Amino acid sequence: MFVARVVGEVWTTKKDKTLEGLRLLLVDPLGVEERARSGHRPGLVVAADPIGAGVGEEVVVSYGRAGRVAVGRGHDIAVEAAVVGIVDERSGKALV
Amino acid sequence: MFVARVVGEVWTTKKDKTLEGLRLLLVDPLGVEERARSGHRPGLVVAADPIGAGVGEEVVVSYGRAGRVAVGRGHDIAVEAAVVGIVDERSGKALV
Amino acid sequence: MFVARVVGEVWTTKKDKTLEGLRLLLVDPLGVEERARSGHRPGLVVAADPIGAGVGEEVVVSYGRAGRVAVGRGHDIAVEAAVVGIVDERSGKALV
Amino acid sequence: MFVARVVGEVWTTKKDKTLEGLRLLLVDPLGVEERARSGHRPGLVVAADPIGAGVGEEVVVSYGRAGRVAVGRGHDIAVEAAVVGIVDERSGKALV
Amino acid sequence: MFVARVVGEVWTTKKDKTLEGLRLLLVDPLGVEERARSGHRPGLVVAADPIGAGVGEEVVVSYGRAGRVAVGRGHDIAVEAAVVGIVDERSGKALV
């Protein structure tokens, strides 16, 4: 799992039928401050959002089966990343 | 999942029999603009395409079981990345 | 699996119901000393902690199903990284 | 999946019994030309080869269960990367 | 799978019960020589070792279910990386 900031949405018309009705967010994984300055953070991820996060919010994202548990509840769907929580607060090193 | 641009195709004759009849695309994962300038975007991915994306289009790609759901519908196939949607529109930061 | 240092916690109110009651740690994967100086260590990971690690401790983290074994014991939960051990001692190259 | 060039082989005597009789190739994932110059391509991968690729050939490699489908056909084996096709031709950007 | 050099061990007392009795190695994934000079090799991995590799030896490591096949033989354990073979010999490009 990782913490990410929601930076946008993605819309598709031609898509796998198991994606119908799902909201797809573009999320930007957060790293520690020093690493962000070096420009080596990983790229954007597309995550299905069953929770209702807004652009600018920080979220926890799970990959793989864990993501499908949050979105599909036992359905076999073409999703492998999902928002599983909206961050209220974090302790520790600043993330940017 | 990630957003990628379709940059080409791959053809194979000697292959696993579960790949027969599948179209294999070379797709280039998109990052945010600043990261692209640093040259640190991840490498190209080969994704099976059950939807019919064209070279130059932007697509959403799923990995692992999620990709096999889109391609195999319950068949056990030697594929772990697939196009699951063609992007109509995106909001948020520009991707290149 | 990887060795990481616990650097903080993450709290969420709106979350997948399978995350309720789980403690989520921010952990920083450790690399070898020379790599840390280059600034290319991977980003922070969010790991569920069923063991009770404290901030500053070093832990072993497992991904995917292995992580759900440690946290869920057969339950299908939206978690894909978990603390599976607290490091007492390590031999070999120094990690920072 | 990714395109890689076969650069060598690996031989093991002490090994998991499910690897017996499998040919293990060292393969070098290909990226786009500009990225190769920056030196940031991912490292070498060890892939089981049920197809018979030669050193210098380009192959398509699948990870995880997809790789085990190509090698094990339902057997539970200690392999998570396999050659699933030999590339005849590619379109799009040059890969090096 | 990847080739790695064993660089040390990790000992834990507080741990998931499925890790009891397992030897955990710190292994350093090998890349090609040119990449090592750039300092961009991936970080250290912790791998369970059912085979008995020594520090300084080169090993083949499998991830995920493949690793659990080598260690757990059908048991559901909190491990996602394992030594599956000790390298006798390699052909192709030099790895460092």
Side-chain angles (χ1 to χ4, degrees):
Chain A
M1 294 174 284
F2 58 91
V3 175
R5 188 175 307 280
V6 180
V7 296
E9 284 192 61
V10 179
W11 293 273
T12 59
T13 302
K14 294 183 72 174
K15 71 181 104 182
D16 186 81
K17 69 187 182 197
T18 65
L19 296 186
E20 274 165 28
L22 291 182
R23 187 172 174 232
L24 297 182
L25 299 182
L26 270 176
V27 306
D28 191 5
L30 302 185
V32 291
E33 198 173 1
E34 315 84 70
R35 289 167 205 174
R37 282 200 296 262
S38 75
H40 292 286
R41 294 187 300 179
L44 296 193
V45 169
V46 176
D49 176 23
I51 289 183
V55 170
E57 285 194 296
E58 285 187 11
V59 292
V60 177
V61 174
S62 282
Y63 271 120
R65 182 170 183 82
R68 287 188 293 278
V69 166
V71 176
R73 294 283 170 232
H75 297 283
D76 212 347
I77 56 175
V79 161
E80 39 75 346
V83 173
V84 299
I86 300 178
V87 176
D88 296 326
E89 199 181 334
R90 289 187 276 105
S91 69
K93 291 188 194 177
L95 292 165
V96 292
Chain B
M1 294 174 285
F2 58 91
V3 176
R5 189 174 307 280
V6 180
V7 295
E9 283 192 62
V10 179
W11 293 274
T12 60
T13 302
K14 293 183 73 174
K15 71 181 105 185
D16 186 81
K17 69 186 182 199
T18 64
L19 296 186
E20 274 165 28
L22 291 182
R23 187 171 174 233
L24 297 182
L25 299 182
L26 270 176
V27 305
D28 191 5
L30 302 185
V32 291
E33 198 173 0
E34 314 85 71
R35 289 166 204 174
R37 281 200 296 263
S38 76
H40 293 286
R41 294 187 299 178
L44 296 193
V45 169
V46 177
D49 176 22
I51 289 182
V55 170
E57 285 194 296
E58 287 186 9
V59 293
V60 177
V61 174
S62 282
Y63 271 120
R65 182 170 182 82
R68 287 188 294 278
V69 166
V71 176
R73 293 284 170 231
H75 297 283
D76 212 347
I77 56 175
V79 161
E80 39 76 346
V83 173
V84 299
I86 300 178
V87 175
D88 296 326
E89 199 182 334
R90 291 187 276 104
S91 69
K93 291 188 194 177
L95 292 165
V96 294
Chain C
M1 293 174 284
F2 58 90
V3 175
R5 188 175 307 282
V6 179
V7 296
E9 285 193 60
V10 179
W11 293 274
T12 59
T13 302
K14 294 182 73 173
K15 70 180 106 183
D16 186 80
K17 69 187 181 197
T18 66
L19 296 185
E20 274 165 28
L22 291 182
R23 187 173 174 232
L24 297 182
L25 299 182
L26 269 176
V27 306
D28 191 5
L30 301 185
V32 291
E33 197 172 1
E34 316 83 70
R35 289 166 204 173
R37 281 200 298 263
S38 76
H40 292 285
R41 294 188 299 179
L44 295 193
V45 169
V46 177
D49 176 22
I51 289 182
V55 170
E57 285 194 297
E58 285 188 11
V59 293
V60 177
V61 175
S62 282
Y63 270 120
R65 182 170 183 83
R68 287 188 293 276
V69 166
V71 176
R73 295 284 171 231
H75 297 284
D76 213 347
I77 57 175
V79 160
E80 40 75 347
V83 174
V84 299
I86 300 178
V87 175
D88 297 326
E89 199 182 334
R90 289 187 277 107
S91 68
K93 292 188 193 177
L95 291 165
V96 292
Chain D
M1 295 175 283
F2 58 90
V3 175
R5 189 175 307 281
V6 179
V7 296
E9 284 192 62
V10 179
W11 293 275
T12 59
T13 302
K14 294 183 73 174
K15 71 181 103 184
D16 186 80
K17 69 187 182 198
T18 65
L19 296 186
E20 274 165 28
L22 291 182
R23 187 171 174 233
L24 297 182
L25 299 181
L26 269 176
V27 305
D28 191 5
L30 302 185
V32 291
E33 197 174 359
E34 316 83 72
R35 289 165 204 175
R37 281 199 297 263
S38 76
H40 292 286
R41 295 188 298 179
L44 296 193
V45 168
V46 177
D49 176 22
I51 289 182
V55 170
E57 285 194 296
E58 286 187 10
V59 294
V60 177
V61 174
S62 282
Y63 271 120
R65 182 170 184 82
R68 287 188 294 277
V69 166
V71 176
R73 294 284 170 232
H75 298 283
D76 212 347
I77 57 176
V79 161
E80 40 75 346
V83 173
V84 299
I86 300 178
V87 175
D88 297 325
E89 200 183 334
R90 290 189 274 104
S91 69
K93 290 188 195 178
L95 292 164
V96 293
Chain E
M1 294 175 284
F2 58 90
V3 175
R5 189 175 306 281
V6 179
V7 296
E9 284 193 61
V10 179
W11 293 274
T12 59
T13 302
K14 294 182 74 174
K15 71 181 105 184
D16 186 81
K17 69 187 182 196
T18 66
L19 296 186
E20 274 165 28
L22 290 182
R23 187 172 174 233
L24 297 182
L25 299 182
L26 269 176
V27 305
D28 191 4
L30 301 185
V32 291
E33 197 173 0
E34 316 82 71
R35 289 165 205 175
R37 281 200 298 264
S38 76
H40 292 285
R41 295 187 299 178
L44 296 193
V45 169
V46 177
D49 176 22
I51 289 182
V55 171
E57 285 195 295
E58 286 187 11
V59 293
V60 177
V61 174
S62 282
Y63 271 120
R65 182 170 184 82
R68 286 188 294 277
V69 167
V71 175
R73 295 284 172 231
H75 297 284
D76 213 347
I77 57 176
V79 161
E80 40 75 347
V83 173
V84 298
I86 300 178
V87 176
D88 297 326
E89 200 183 333
R90 289 188 276 105
S91 69
K93 292 188 195 178
L95 292 165
V96 293

